[in-house]
Amino acid sequence: MSPRPIRTLIAGLAMIFALSACALFPNRDPLNINVVGIEPLPSQDLEIRFAVKLRLQNPNDNDIQYDGVALNLDVNGKLLASGVSSQKGTITRFSEGVLTVPVTVSAFAALRQAVGLTEQQRLDNLPYELHGKLAGGLFGTLRFEDSGTLSLP
């Protein structure tokens, strides 16, 4: 047998395996994730801590399991807070739940935000962007984003 038919056979088998692997991954709609609350937590030294509450809505016909979450909160286009949690849970099909993630604001991040405020800006209606991910194994990680305005006391 010459090398050409062997290469063609290997390429054909590789294509069949690649197409069958795609069928294993479910076609999912993205989760709807929104910030529904921010509450103060006990702080330490030069940091401020908050509990960010996220509403997760699963518009899919299958359950979504997660075993960790990470997020970054940008305010006025600058990183203000970040947080992680090793919480585990399931968002059942066509349902919703609330996930609370502790985040930390360093004194330097707070100072950077304060310096960035103009005299006309106040601490209400500040634009924010939330970027994060729900860990769900090798191929189950879901990335999410949310944006809006914050009103801080």
Side-chain angles (χ1 to χ4, degrees):
M1 204 176 212
S2 70
R4 185 176 174 109
I6 293 174
R7 278 190 247 147
T8 304
L9 178 64
I10 291 172
L13 288 174
M15 186 177 298
I16 290 170
F17 285 129
L19 290 174
S20 65
C22 291
L24 295 175
F25 301 119
N27 187 13
R28 293 193 283 214
D29 289 326
L31 289 179
N32 299 320
I33 299 180
N34 298 302
V35 176
V36 294
I38 298 178
E39 297 175 356
L41 291 174
S43 302
Q44 297 177 353
D45 299 330
L46 293 176
E47 67 182 12
I48 304 166
R49 295 186 43 82
F50 293 98
V52 175
K53 292 186 176 187
L54 304 172
R55 178 164 310 279
L56 303 123
Q57 295 177 331
N58 181 3
N60 296 289
D61 194 27
N62 53 346
D63 296 351
I64 295 178
Q65 296 181 355
Y66 61 91
D67 61 0
V69 61
L71 58 87
N72 288 330
L73 178 64
D74 298 341
V75 175
N76 270 340
K78 297 180 185 126
L79 178 65
L80 175 65
S82 61
V84 294
S85 174
S86 62
Q87 293 178 59
K88 295 179 182 183
T90 301
I91 308 162
T92 57
R93 59 188 291 276
F94 298 108
S95 69
E96 62 182 37
V98 175
L99 175 65
T100 302
V101 181
V103 298
T104 302
V105 179
S106 73
F108 299 110
L111 181 62
R112 185 173 54 238
Q113 286 291 331
V115 169
L117 291 176
T118 63
E119 288 184 22
Q120 291 80 23
Q121 277 184 311
R122 298 183 338 190
L123 292 179
D124 55 352
N125 295 324
L126 293 173
Y128 77 86
E129 290 182 13
L130 181 76
H131 305 276
K133 66 180 180 178
L134 278 177
L138 184 60
F139 297 108
T141 297
L142 300 170
R143 298 196 178 274
F144 60 87
E145 294 181 1
D146 184 36
S147 61
T149 57
L150 289 176
S151 293
L152 301 173

